[in-house]
Amino acid sequence: MNLNDLSSLMERRQDGGLSFERFRADPVLAGLQWPDDVLRDFLFEHGDHSPFVDDYGHLDLSAITWTLETIPTADFYTMPTGESEAGLIEHFAQHPVYWVTVRPRESAGTGKNTGRGCARRSSSTDAS
C-alpha cells in the first residue's frame, strides 16, 4: 500500500468528513500500526500534498516501522529530504524565523468560535 492507494480516504478527509480519530480508525490505517503522531503528521496532514506525494508516494507504507530516537541537532544539516524540499533545511538554517497558523478555537462547551486564530513567530537565538 502506498499514498496513492489512500486517495479516497484523503478525499473524505479533505471534505471535512473525517476527524483525526475517525481517520486513524480506518481499517487500512489501523493495519499499519503506526504511532498516532506519525499518522497525524505523515498522512493526515500531508498525505495529499502533491510535492509530498511526488517524493514519497512510491513507498510501501506497510513496510515502514517507526522508532523514537534522539538525534543531535547538527545531524539535521546532513539529513536527506525529498526532492521537492531540496535546500529547505539550509533555508531554515539561514532564516530561522517561521510562522505557524493556528486554527480558530472554540469556546469550551459552547462550540462557538472565539476568534479568527493567530500566528506565532519564533526565532532562534544564540545562547552563550
Side-chain angles (χ1 to χ4, degrees), residues 114-126:
T114 60
R116 295 174 16 110
C118 63
R120 290 193 181 136
R121 181 175 158 169
S122 175
S123 63
S124 65
T125 58
D126 258 349

Side-chain angles (χ1 to χ4, degrees), residues 49-71:
H49 183 62
S50 295
F52 186 80
V53 174
D54 290 345
D55 288 346
Y56 304 109
H58 67 283
L59 296 177
D60 179 3
L61 302 179
S62 60
I64 298 172
T65 57
W66 297 92
T67 59
L68 184 61
E69 57 188 86
T70 302
I71 300 173

Side-chain angles (χ1 to χ4, degrees), residues 67-97:
T67 59
L68 184 61
E69 57 188 86
T70 302
I71 300 173
T73 305
D75 288 359
F76 282 95
Y77 293 111
T78 59
M79 191 175 294
T81 61
E83 190 175 312
S84 68
E85 296 176 335
L88 188 61
I89 291 174
E90 293 82 3
H91 170 77
F92 287 144
Q94 291 174 354
H95 311 282
V97 175

